[in-house]
Amino acid sequence: MQKQTNLENRMIKYTLIILFAFFSLHANAQQKREWEQYLYQISEMNDTESDVWESYYDMLCDLEANPININIATREELEQLPFLTAEEVEDISEYLYLHGPMKSLGELAMIENLDYFKRRLLFYFTYAGEVESRTFPSMKNILKYGKHDVMGTVKVPFYTRKGDKDGYEGYQYKHSIRYDFSYGDRVRFGVLGAQDAGEPFFAGKNNLGYDFYSFYFVLKKLGKIKTLALGRYRVRFGMGLVINNNFSFGKLSALSSLGRGGSNIRAHSSLSSGNYLQGAATTVNIVKGLDVSAFVSYRKFDATLNSDDGTIATILESGYHRTETELDKKNNSSHVLAGGNVDYSASGFHVGLTGVYVSLDKRLKPKTEAVYRRHYASGKDFYNIGIDYGYTGHRISFHGETATGGCNAFATINSLSFSLTDNLDLLALQRFYSFRYYSLFAESFSEGGAVQNESGIYLGANWRPIPNLSVMAYSDFAYFAWPKYQASDSSRSFDNLVQMIYVPGGWTFSARYRYKMRERDNAEKSALIFKKEHKGRLSAAYDSGVWGGKFQADIAYTDYKKKSFGWMLSQNVSVRMEKLFYAIMSFGYFDTDDYDSRVYAYERGMRYSFYSPAYYGNGVRAALFAVSDFSDKITVTAKVGVTKYFDRDKIGSGYQEIDGSSATDLELQLRLRL
């Protein structure tokens, strides 16, 4: 019986490889939503599982659904676009000042410092509209001309997990619904409900229906009020050392934006139930160049409590409430937060001051038996204060922030960018985060994943030798003075990457190589040794407007305690018939020694769902994605995907374990625009 199973697996593998080669010879493609490919290109290959990228993706989805009128955009609104540098934001503003409103986005080609790739991306998130009156629209016009957007999504698994049989309190379907109302970029209101697979629905502790709800109301450009947000929202000020639960930059995206900071308040319209504030926030323009922001929040959150005294051991952000244990942790703690920011800018210079105070209803008392946890945040009341500063010139820009707080330690980050020529940008970024510094809501540039216990130097270059070719490269050195997880002493890391993207006509060619070394404990935990990682990617894509496809090859090699090698070949084939129908068939074959040599492959998913999972072991992944606009008001999207493993008869572990070697999911989404 085992021999027969092995023979069947080999036959399936050989058949799929032959099919893969056939599709590679007959088609290549480019995804319809080019900015999703951009997000995938600037992801760090192994960072796309983090909540940071989910927030990043949600923000871009929001901007695509509610594009900015570039003719009346403020500096803060343009800074929401994470791929623009400070100089490019200023160049766009200067062009509008000198030449007046754009007739079309084609005029972006007149801005010399704005390269080909960024002009293409701006078409997704901006439009050249009429210059509106400074008078805020009447309620009658808002109700008459506002746009309603209703969206429902469901994911149906064709398998049963161990927890579905015994352990999870709800059924195995994941679903959500959202309603969003907008009037240009002036008014936005929305509510949403979301349910993860396994969570009870209209039952138990979720007797009000969905496990998670979000509601938000945002006004912009109401006289002196630049932004007013009520309900659930996110904020980011300066470089994020004091507070940033909006989005943060990775190493390639920092190079794309040349390390600039930014301040903004936006609605929390994400399905994520972890990282948001709840209450009110506003930014008011006092006089030209001087903005004052204030925000206040009260919300409950999940936490693991210490059994001996009921203090908080760990603040949880997963948002899962499937088992009785997870439900007991739901909203068992709360915070009160208040803060503000003062920002002044003139003649290219800017300076800002940010302060935040947080009070928890229970003392935060992490377990510190492990030495790397010794300086984790602890206490009941916290405060942080920071000053951010910078200058934006035609060739040179400087941005930075320095912060301290009740921890009696400080953190600083500073970046210097220089446009050596119109085609070559250089970036140097320095950061020092004391191992004693902490802020509960900080998020900024880092190698170690936290604004704590890290100092480093980052050098990057962005070169565009010809209009359709972009070459990006960086080297980053980081030092961790205090022990970290899996490193029992002071440790170092070296990270290096080079990437090329070439777009001749309808083709897109991409190549990337990354080499990273980071010190870790040896097998005996008697000394530190380097964990060495090599990752590479080659891709070629073509889009004729109707037919298209994309071929991609990934490799991964890791040397740490043992050697691990993996690779994956993936292929997309697409067809487009105007707005009537768009479909993508994707297929990939992967073979890795273990998890250390895992590979990632982006796959088109539902709106507000960025999908780039890790694959390891031996198997195949196939998916069919289709979207159809039945009218200007109705869009239906469907996706079916299957992952088949040849090296195991069970998938996952614990409550997530699937008794079988394959897993198939169906996703459906209905969107109504009224």
Side-chain angles (χ1 to χ4, degrees):
M1 183 65 179
Q2 183 64 37
K3 290 183 179 180
Q4 182 179 354
T5 301
N6 290 338
L7 178 61
E8 290 175 351
N9 283 342
R10 285 199 298 271
M11 292 178 65
I12 293 173
K13 287 165 62 175
Y14 296 147
T15 302
L16 291 173
I17 291 173
I18 292 171
L19 287 173
F20 175 84
F22 173 81
F23 284 121
S24 297
L25 289 171
H26 284 78
N28 288 313
Q30 182 179 1
Q31 299 289 6
K32 184 179 180 182
R33 293 168 74 181
E34 184 179 3
W35 67 264
E36 290 191 14
Q37 285 293 318
Y38 164 79
L39 180 61
Y40 181 54
Q41 291 288 355
I42 64 173
S43 67
E44 296 299 323
M45 287 192 177
N46 56 357
D47 292 345
T48 48
E49 298 172 311
S50 69
D51 291 337
V52 172
W53 286 106
E54 181 181 347
S55 174
Y56 201 116
Y57 179 76
D58 286 336
M59 181 190 66
L60 291 176
C61 281
D62 282 343
L63 288 172
E64 184 190 35
N66 301 279
I68 299 167
N69 183 351
I70 199 168
N71 287 327
I72 59 172
T74 63
R75 176 172 60 88
E76 291 80 9
E77 288 174 321
L78 292 175
E79 284 178 346
Q80 293 182 75
L81 300 170
F83 50 85
L84 291 180
T85 68
E87 293 93 330
E88 288 163 346
V89 170
E90 293 299 328
D91 287 345
I92 293 172
S93 299
E94 183 180 2
Y95 179 90
L96 292 169
Y97 176 77
L98 293 175
H99 303 285
M102 295 184 185
K103 301 299 182 183
S104 73
L105 292 180
E107 291 187 47
L108 291 171
M110 303 298 292
I111 303 174
E112 293 183 1
N113 290 337
L114 203 59
D115 65 51
Y116 170 79
F117 299 97
K118 294 184 180 181
R119 293 199 304 270
R120 288 173 63 171
L121 289 170
L122 280 168
F123 274 81
Y124 288 95
F125 307 114
T126 65
Y127 69 98
E130 295 182 0
V131 178
E132 301 173 354
S133 169
R134 293 182 180 271
T135 304
F136 197 77
S138 65
M139 181 61 69
K140 179 180 179 180
N141 283 340
I142 291 173
L143 295 176
K144 182 177 180 180
Y145 299 108
K147 297 179 180 179
H148 304 265
D149 196 323
V150 183
M151 183 183 303
T153 307
V154 62
K155 183 175 183 179
V156 181
F158 293 99
Y159 49 82
T160 302
R161 290 163 296 203
K162 185 177 180 180
D164 296 327
K165 299 177 182 178
D166 183 21
Y168 291 159
E169 299 293 313
Y171 47 71
Q172 64 220 64
Y173 310 111
K174 178 179 180 179
H175 55 94
S176 64
I177 188 167
R178 69 168 70 218
Y179 165 77
D180 189 276
F181 172 85
S182 62
Y183 179 86
D185 56 357
R186 295 288 192 99
V187 180
R188 190 177 179 201
F189 165 76
V191 293
L192 62 89
Q195 194 82 11
D196 285 312
E199 294 176 339
F201 185 60
F202 280 111
K205 293 188 177 181
N206 289 342
N207 57 359
L208 294 179
Y210 281 102
D211 179 74
F212 172 72
Y213 289 98
S214 186
F215 49 93
Y216 51 87
F217 177 68
V218 177
L219 293 178
K220 289 188 177 183
K221 303 173 185 175
L222 178 60
K224 288 286 187 178
I225 299 176
K226 283 191 169 184
T227 304
L228 172 65
L230 302 175
R232 293 182 173 174
Y233 63 92
R234 297 187 178 207
V235 299
R236 179 178 190 259
F237 293 103
M239 304 288 281
L241 299 188
V242 173
I243 185 167
N244 173 24
N245 65 348
N246 198 344
F247 69 93
S248 185
F249 292 123
K251 294 180 181 178
L252 269 180
S253 52
L255 184 56
S256 177
S257 65
L258 293 184
R260 67 164 170 83
S263 301
N264 59 70
I265 299 169
R266 73 178 184 94
H268 175 69
S269 57
S270 167
L271 299 180
S272 171
S273 59
N275 197 15
Y276 64 88
L277 300 179
Q278 180 176 270
T282 186
T283 297
V284 179
N285 177 245
I286 305 301
V287 295
K288 183 179 180 180
L290 178 61
D291 293 337
V292 176
S293 300
F295 48 94
V296 63
S297 170
Y298 169 79
R299 59 159 292 199
K300 295 183 177 181
F301 58 87
D302 300 356
T304 299
L305 304 182
N306 292 306
S307 57
D308 55 346
D309 57 6
T311 56
I312 299 173
T314 307
I315 296 175
L316 303 174
E317 294 187 355
S318 68
Y320 288 126
H321 306 118
R322 302 161 298 185
T323 66
E324 185 176 346
T325 301
E326 291 174 346
L327 284 164
D328 287 340
K329 297 177 181 179
K330 182 178 180 180
N331 294 334
N332 61 0
S333 302
S334 65
H335 81 228
V336 174
L337 177 150
N341 171 267
V342 179
D343 183 85
Y344 178 73
S345 60
S347 302
F349 293 91
H350 81 268
V351 62
L353 179 68
T354 305
V356 172
Y357 170 78
V358 183
S359 179
L360 306 179
D361 69 329
K362 303 178 184 68
R363 180 179 177 82
L364 179 59
K365 184 182 173 184
K367 298 182 184 300
T368 57
E369 291 81 3
V371 65
Y372 69 89
R373 294 174 174 263
R374 192 71 48 83
H375 296 287
Y376 278 18
S378 63
K380 188 175 181 180
D381 299 303
F382 305 85
Y383 76 89
N384 292 88
I385 187 169
I387 181 171
D388 62 279
Y389 35 82
Y391 169 75
T392 301
H394 180 62
R395 291 286 185 184
I396 297 178
S397 289
F398 171 70
H399 303 279
E401 184 176 15
T402 300
T404 186
C407 54
N408 296 318
F410 81 98
T412 185
I413 180 171
N414 301 278
S415 69
L416 176 66
S417 63
F418 177 53
S419 296
L420 189 62
T421 69
D422 291 340
N423 300 322
L424 177 60
D425 299 319
L426 304 177
L427 172 66
L429 185 148
Q430 168 272 336
R431 72 272 191 195
F432 171 79
Y433 309 146
S434 169
F435 59 81
R436 292 188 177 90
Y437 179 83
Y438 52 74
S439 172
L440 296 185
F441 292 91
E443 181 72 51
S444 191
F445 184 101
S446 71
E447 164 64 32
V451 182
Q452 186 182 48
N453 186 27
E454 179 174 329
S455 58
I457 294 290
Y458 169 96
L459 300 173
N462 189 352
W463 182 39
R464 300 170 298 279
I466 57 177
N468 297 346
L469 175 63
S470 172
V471 180
M472 304 174 76
Y474 71 74
S475 290
D476 183 55
F477 167 78
Y479 175 72
F480 312 100
W482 192 259
K484 295 184 71 67
Y485 177 64
Q486 294 185 339
S488 302
D489 203 346
S490 301
S491 58
R492 300 164 294 166
S493 76
F494 304 88
D495 189 7
N496 306 274
L497 181 143
V498 60
Q499 172 176 284
M500 180 276 291
I501 302 176
Y502 180 47
V503 187
W507 288 89
T508 300
F509 297 99
S510 175
R512 171 190 282 189
Y513 171 69
R514 184 183 188 186
Y515 175 56
K516 184 176 180 179
M517 300 168 60
R518 184 162 178 176
E519 287 184 312
R520 291 281 191 264
D521 290 323
N522 62 9
E524 297 78 22
K525 295 188 177 181
S526 59
L528 296 181
I529 60 175
F530 276 111
K531 179 180 181 180
K532 302 175 183 179
E533 297 177 288
H534 301 261
K535 292 182 182 289
R537 176 183 297 150
L538 293 172
S539 69
Y542 180 75
D543 186 8
S544 69
V546 178
W547 293 93
K550 178 181 178 182
F551 168 78
Q552 180 170 300
D554 287 272
I555 62 167
Y557 174 75
T558 302
D559 185 0
Y560 171 61
K561 299 181 182 178
K562 61 182 180 65
K563 294 177 172 58
S564 179
F565 178 76
W567 57 275
M568 182 174 186
L569 298 177
S570 54
Q571 173 74 43
N572 292 340
V573 178
S574 68
V575 59
R576 183 183 304 126
M577 298 178 62
E578 297 298 332
K579 291 185 177 181
L580 179 63
F581 183 77
Y582 176 62
I584 306 171
M585 183 178 69
S586 61
F587 174 80
Y589 177 82
F590 56 92
D591 190 4
T592 81
D593 292 337
D594 51 38
Y595 185 75
D596 283 344
S597 55
R598 64 194 179 278
V599 290
Y600 294 81
Y602 164 78
E603 192 174 285
R604 179 73 182 271
M606 303 290 106
R607 179 176 287 271
Y608 294 99
S609 176
F610 183 72
Y611 190 66
S612 179
Y615 297 101
Y616 64 96
N618 179 228
V620 294
R621 169 68 182 178
L624 178 62
F625 172 91
V627 58
S628 179
D629 291 322
F630 286 93
S631 69
D632 292 337
K633 298 181 179 180
I634 302 175
T635 299
V636 176
T637 307
K639 177 183 176 181
V640 60
V642 57
T643 305
K644 167 69 177 177
Y645 291 92
F646 303 120
D647 60 345
R648 68 197 73 172
D649 54 13
K650 294 182 184 295
I651 303 174
S653 60
Y655 285 142
Q656 290 290 94
E657 182 181 275
I658 300 170
D659 188 14
S661 60
S662 65
T664 303
D665 293 280
L666 172 66
E667 294 179 83
L668 298 171
Q669 188 174 83
L670 173 64
R671 184 184 183 193
L672 305 177
R673 297 178 296 278
L674 306 174

